Amino acid sequence: AIASLPKQSMVDSMNVTSRMRGVYSLDWNLQGDRMMIVTKDSQLRLWNPDRNSEERSWSGEWMYAECDPNSPNRTAGVTWPGRFRLVDHRQAGFAADVDLKALSDKLEKMLFLCWRPDSSYVAVGTKSDVVQMLDLRKPELSLGNSMAAVTEVNQMCWTVGGEAFLQAEGTSPGRIAVSRGVDLASGPMFSVVAHQSATVALSRDPTGRYVASGGADCFLNIWDARSMGCLWSCGPGSQPITSCSFSSDGDLIAWGSGGPGGESQVNVFGVDTKQSYLQYQCGSAATILRFHPKMPTLAVAVADCAREGSFVQFLKLGT
């Protein structure tokens, strides 16, 4: 990705034409030809970026969805009341629909999830900061280990091989807790102080070299994925980091920021070069962003405060 980018990349930006009632989550599928977008009007939307149109939607009190890292047509999602669902993009119904609250009364008010890289497990997180492993290795879903966190958990991710599980903690100072694989019962192996205030955003490099964290202290930090030693930091900006994402080759890191009073923008830096390739002013908070799985293209959810909704921009770098 780096070789094709000038020092300050040109951007061809395209807004999603329909404004949505707020975006809770968005994610590219494996091939990068579709997106799954969760909106605040209780819809999970299958979006075709090339045609700039919705192809299908599923109703429910959705809070978060993430595409299967090994299948172009499967997405996992959670709902506020405590349902876990698997969606086949080609079908109107659900491939799986499990009431997690019926399995454990702690599993309600779901907020987010993340796939293990080999798709064998999904970790889900609740408003009460319970983190639960869901075992998908057999046709019938079963509960793995769980952990009642002692502090707020804002985001989660696995290292690329699935050997370590990371949680962004909303403590002050903000920490990253590191657990062994799917073993939550033993508690974190260790944690590192990542930010002066809450750790808000977390992302791993698809090649396995780096982890990125963004904080309420307005800093973006790059970590060695093996040692969890901090390699470099960027900041402070004028607004908290809201989301971060690596390019498919791990050469670029993008992050969004925004909040009341101050700049709301998207930044793209070279991970090794530490060089700025983009500073894009959004006008409103860039709440979520995700790099395309194959190209230097960013999907960015921008809060449209004037209209009490959101829209999505696709930022194509290097054009």
Side-chain angles (χ1 to χ4, degrees):
I2 289 285
S4 65
L5 298 180
K7 185 173 181 180
Q8 281 293 325
S9 293
M10 299 296 290
V11 173
D12 174 21
S13 64
M14 177 184 67
N15 290 356
V16 169
T17 53
S18 59
R19 278 170 165 75
M20 305 172 186
R21 287 192 57 194
V23 174
Y24 280 142
S25 75
L26 57 82
D27 196 24
W28 296 95
N29 73 342
L30 178 65
Q31 301 299 332
D33 58 359
R34 300 292 187 277
M35 293 204 75
M36 296 297 275
I37 304 174
V38 174
T39 53
K40 293 182 181 180
D41 55 357
S42 301
Q43 296 294 309
L44 173 62
R45 304 175 187 275
L46 178 64
W47 195 269
N48 185 324
D50 291 333
R51 297 180 180 177
N52 202 26
S53 63
E54 180 183 304
E55 294 186 342
R56 180 172 283 126
S57 65
W58 295 262
S59 297
E61 295 181 66
W62 301 96
M63 293 301 296
Y64 198 93
E66 187 173 292
C67 296
D68 187 330
N70 298 291
S71 170
N73 296 307
R74 190 164 75 152
T75 291
V78 287
T79 71
W80 180 250
R83 303 199 79 88
F84 172 80
R85 289 167 172 164
L86 291 175
V87 172
D88 187 319
H89 301 178
R90 300 160 295 186
Q91 300 176 0
F94 301 120
D97 186 2
V98 180
D99 183 1
L100 296 178
K101 189 178 178 183
L103 302 178
S104 170
D105 59 8
K106 298 178 181 179
L107 297 180
E108 61 173 343
K109 299 180 179 178
M110 312 301 295
L111 292 182
F112 46 78
L113 62 82
C114 67
W115 285 91
R116 196 179 191 208
D118 63 0
S119 304
S120 59
Y121 285 83
V122 169
V124 298
T126 75
K127 187 176 185 296
S128 57
D129 301 308
V130 172
V131 179
Q132 175 72 57
M133 293 292 175
L134 305 180
D135 189 343
L136 302 183
R137 291 175 297 174
K138 297 179 180 178
E140 185 173 343
L141 177 146
S142 61
L143 298 184
N145 290 323
S146 66
M147 174 185 69
V150 296
T151 186
E152 179 180 289
V153 178
N154 289 323
Q155 208 165 39
M156 312 175 293
C157 72
W158 264 283
T159 52
V160 71
E163 68 280 354
F165 179 66
L166 284 63
Q167 305 118 64
E169 296 186 343
T171 52
S172 184
R175 291 179 172 271
I176 300 174
V178 182
S179 300
R180 180 178 290 106
V182 297
D183 179 17
L184 296 180
S186 302
M189 294 186 292
F190 63 92
S191 66
V192 295
V193 174
H195 296 274
Q196 294 179 12
S197 51
T199 305
V200 177
L202 202 59
S203 181
R204 63 156 170 85
D205 156 31
T207 69
R209 296 172 293 169
Y210 307 112
V211 170
S213 66
D217 60 359
C218 309
F219 275 88
L220 187 285
N221 296 335
I222 299 294
W223 305 81
D224 182 283
R226 291 184 178 273
S227 68
M228 285 306 294
C230 187
L231 300 176
W232 60 272
S233 299
C234 187
S238 62
Q239 293 294 319
I241 308 299
T242 54
S243 181
C244 58
S245 178
F246 283 98
S247 60
S248 59
D249 57 10
D251 287 345
L252 300 173
I253 180 65
W255 66 93
S257 63
E263 293 183 345
S264 299
Q265 64 183 28
V266 172
N267 291 278
V268 178
F269 269 64
V271 178
D272 292 323
T273 66
K274 305 177 187 176
Q275 180 176 306
S276 174
Y277 292 100
L278 176 68
Q279 287 183 321
Y280 181 80
Q281 302 299 324
C282 301
S284 296
T287 56
I288 311 160
L289 56 78
R290 294 289 183 270
F291 256 114
H292 189 279
K294 297 182 179 181
M295 301 184 295
T297 297
L298 272 170
V300 185
V302 179
D304 186 357
C305 300
R307 303 189 184 186
E308 297 183 352
S310 299
F311 57 90
V312 177
Q313 288 186 311
F314 297 95
L315 308 180
K316 302 177 182 179
L317 279 64
T319 57

